[in-house]
Amino acid sequence: QNLQSQKRYLDRVDIPAACEEVRRDLDQRLRRHTNRKGEVQVEWYVPRYGTVSKHKDKFERHLISVAHKCQDQDDAVEKVLKEVEEVEEKFKQDLESLQDRLGEAETLPVLTSFERQASDLLSGFKDFCKSAVKTLLELSSKAPQALQKDNQAFLMMCKKGEEQYSEPE
């Protein structure tokens, strides 16, 4: 008897109409979701993509700036080393010319003059080498510290909320 009442109830249900109603509800939900998807793209994705692109460009400019500074520092070191080599070569040539002229010296005052000229050449070479060492020490310590300071400033700018950097960026 219970089965018969259930069968009568199910016979009264219009299955094709119920399927059509479910299909319409599903289509409506999908349309709402698609509209929401477009809304999310317009309101969130596109602006965030623009912000991330700006961040990427800013980071690339920072990297290029750092590379230029490193290259300038390398060039400065090479220039100082080349100058030291040139001054050393001139020092050697001047000493050899003094040595070649030693045969001309027959008196003590002339020999003393050659000795004073050689010591003056040595003093000039020492002074130049000291200044070159000082320059190289500055290049090896102050320039990297300046790069670190610039990098810290860039990282601090990234951590502030003004630029809207996210944690992974």
Side-chain angles (χ1 to χ4, degrees):
Q1 180 178 20
N2 196 15
L3 277 169
Q4 286 180 354
S5 67
Q6 288 292 330
K7 183 173 181 334
R8 272 186 251 139
Y9 171 75
L10 288 175
D11 285 342
R12 280 185 282 156
V13 173
D14 187 14
I15 293 178
C19 286
E20 185 62 32
E21 185 179 339
V22 168
R23 189 176 300 125
R24 265 183 287 156
D25 287 346
L26 181 61
D27 284 344
Q28 213 169 25
R29 282 185 182 176
L30 284 174
R31 273 193 219 106
R32 267 192 255 136
H33 179 70
T34 302
N35 288 343
R36 190 168 155 249
K37 179 181 171 188
E39 183 180 312
V40 166
Q41 275 207 321
V42 168
E43 290 181 8
W44 294 94
Y45 178 75
V46 172
R48 186 65 186 151
Y49 180 77
T51 303
V52 170
S53 294
K54 282 190 249 176
H55 293 170
K56 182 180 173 191
D57 293 343
K58 191 177 283 188
F59 181 67
E60 286 175 357
R61 285 193 304 271
H62 175 69
L63 286 180
I64 289 170
S65 169
V66 168
H68 282 301
K69 289 176 183 177
C70 286
Q71 185 62 46
D72 291 345
Q73 181 181 358
D74 290 345
D75 293 344
V77 168
E78 288 298 321
K79 180 183 173 190
V80 169
L81 292 176
K82 187 175 181 182
E83 288 175 356
V84 167
E85 287 177 5
E86 290 171 357
V87 170
E88 179 186 16
E89 192 60 39
K90 185 177 181 329
F91 173 70
K92 287 178 181 178
Q93 288 174 356
D94 290 345
L95 279 182
E96 286 176 8
S97 72
L98 276 177
Q99 190 177 11
D100 291 342
R101 290 182 16 214
L102 274 177
E104 303 169 3
E106 295 180 1
T107 62
L108 187 59
V110 175
L111 285 175
T112 307
S113 168
F114 282 149
E115 182 184 12
R116 189 174 53 252
Q117 287 176 13
S119 64
D120 288 346
L121 286 174
L122 179 62
S123 173
F125 183 65
K126 276 185 182 179
D127 291 343
F128 181 80
C129 287
K130 285 179 184 179
S131 70
V133 166
K134 182 180 175 187
T135 303
L136 288 173
L137 285 174
E138 286 177 8
L139 285 171
S140 68
S141 61
K142 290 183 181 176
Q145 289 171 356
L147 283 176
Q148 287 175 343
K149 186 177 178 182
D150 288 347
N151 247 0
Q152 288 298 325
F154 184 80
L155 290 174
M156 288 303 295
M157 182 220 27
C158 292
K159 287 181 182 177
K160 289 182 181 176
E162 300 165 2
E163 293 288 329
Q164 298 176 339
Y165 280 92
S166 64
E167 279 297 318
E169 287 181 293

